[in-house]
Amino acid sequence: MDQLQLKATIMDSEAMRRAVTRIAHEILERNEGAGTLGIVGIVSRGVPIAEILSNEIAAIEGTKPPVGKLDISFYRDDISRSISPVLHATNIPFNLDERDVVLVDDVLYTGRTVRSALDALMDLGRPKSVQLAVMVDRGHRELPIRADYVGKNVPSSRSEKIRVHIKDTDGENSVTIWERPAQGGAN
């Protein structure tokens, strides 16, 4: 089995902090404050980013938007490829109806995760609007989905992997890019 090796750290803790602060300001400007906001993180990496974003909005605005977590396991279009999906609880402790929902994920890639999240969200309520915030947009879309708020655009090849590390779960805040090592040998 091929092992991945670290290619580069593309965001350190300070770069991530600046990105979250910028995104929080952009969200507040677009929505004219935090009054109607609800932040929903997509399990698993979107959830801690949603919490960080909500805390940053509270630090700026003085109002902390409620945060929920959304499990999309049964909404994925690739569920048949997975023998048994890992289930997490969806917990959105606020009414979605007529709320401006900011859906949060770590990496936007093909758009399939976001499509699944939109389906799951609509089964739970009727938001006034749904906006998308991601730490990294790496391109390669398969569906017509784009992020409203992006921490960093990272052009990457399909063979590379982008990993967002969160201090509470990984011991540090960073974004790294990984690749398969070149195959050695004589030609």
Side-chain angles (χ1 to χ4, degrees):
M1 172 178 258
D2 288 334
Q3 295 294 321
L4 295 176
Q5 67 184 23
L6 179 64
K7 180 177 180 181
T9 298
I10 52 180
M11 292 178 85
D12 61 11
S13 182
E14 185 59 23
M16 285 180 68
R17 186 197 60 74
R18 285 191 306 269
V20 168
T21 299
R22 178 179 39 79
I23 290 169
H25 280 283
E26 290 172 359
I27 289 169
L28 288 168
E29 183 175 339
R30 177 173 177 176
N31 294 283
E32 299 178 354
T36 63
L37 290 177
I39 313 290
V40 176
I42 299 173
V43 171
S44 68
R45 295 288 172 175
V47 175
I49 297 170
E51 284 289 349
I52 293 166
L53 185 57
S54 180
N55 289 335
E56 185 64 25
I57 289 170
I60 296 165
E61 187 78 1
T63 302
K64 182 175 173 28
V67 178
K69 66 179 182 176
L70 184 65
D71 179 21
I72 62 163
S73 297
F74 287 117
Y75 290 87
R76 299 191 60 88
D77 60 6
D78 61 355
I79 194 169
S80 63
R81 295 179 189 177
S82 189
I83 294 172
S84 59
V86 177
L87 299 180
H88 305 275
T90 290
N91 179 15
I92 300 178
F94 55 90
N95 188 347
L96 292 172
D97 296 341
E98 296 304 311
R99 188 164 306 255
D100 294 302
V101 173
V102 179
L103 194 59
V104 180
D105 205 7
D106 58 346
V107 178
L108 178 57
Y109 183 37
T110 63
R112 293 186 179 280
T113 296
V114 175
R115 187 219 37 95
S116 299
L118 289 169
D119 288 347
L121 206 57
M122 293 307 152
D123 279 352
L124 298 172
R126 176 86 166 91
K128 178 178 166 187
S129 70
V130 179
Q131 301 155 34
L132 178 61
V134 297
M135 187 57 67
V136 174
D137 183 345
R138 65 175 289 193
H140 303 287
R141 221 68 82 238
E142 295 175 5
L143 299 171
I145 290 174
R146 69 168 182 80
D148 298 284
Y149 314 102
V150 177
K152 187 172 183 76
N153 287 294
V154 180
S156 61
S157 76
R158 290 188 181 273
S159 65
E160 293 172 323
K161 303 290 181 207
I162 305 285
R163 294 184 181 159
V164 176
H165 307 275
I166 304 296
K167 187 173 185 171
D168 288 346
T169 55
D170 304 309
E172 69 173 0
N173 288 330
S174 67
V175 178
T176 55
I177 189 164
W178 296 74
E179 65 182 351
R180 297 198 188 293
Q183 298 296 320
N187 288 338

